[in-house]
Amino acid sequence: WYYLSSLEYRLPVWIIDRGVGMVPAFARNVSAAVYLDAGNAFAEAADVQSALSGTLMGTGAELQGRAILGWGIPLTIRVGYGFAVRGPGFPPGDAQGFYAWLGSSF
């Protein structure tokens, strides 16, 4: 059993929508986001009360950039920082909370 909740606010930072000359690459946009996640897992349905009192929480912020490579390959780059607010994990200010992600949508 588990419960999970996520709250995210994303806002545009820079809408680029252009390429450079004849280079087959096109920059789309840059956005920023802040997020808060909360949840917990438990073994038995009767444990709901203790699971609710032990809710784990994490928060963070990220920058996300999107581009098109070649003639239609989407590319997303995300760089951010997250930390634990309640429960085990990286405390605020810990360098291990930084992350980077490079990928494509499916």
Side-chain angles (χ1 to χ4, degrees):
W1 296 80
Y2 72 95
Y3 62 93
L4 179 64
S5 177
S6 183
L7 179 66
E8 180 175 330
Y9 181 72
R10 187 171 299 275
L11 67 146
V13 174
W14 186 20
I15 300 172
I16 305 165
D17 281 338
R18 66 181 62 236
V20 178
M22 299 294 288
V23 177
F26 180 82
R28 300 206 44 163
N29 62 3
V30 175
S31 62
V34 293
Y35 56 88
L36 174 69
D37 297 324
N40 205 348
F42 47 100
E44 299 292 328
D47 296 338
V48 172
Q49 194 66 22
S50 63
L52 288 173
S53 65
T55 298
L56 307 175
M57 295 177 65
T59 189
E62 73 176 26
L63 281 174
Q64 178 179 21
R66 293 180 181 215
I68 303 292
L69 298 180
W71 288 270
I73 301 170
L75 179 68
T76 302
I77 300 169
R78 294 171 33 183
V79 178
Y81 182 75
F83 58 91
V85 175
R86 183 174 178 198
F90 307 125
D94 191 334
Q96 293 183 30
F98 285 102
Y99 63 89
W101 184 85
L102 174 66
S104 168
S105 62
F106 52 91

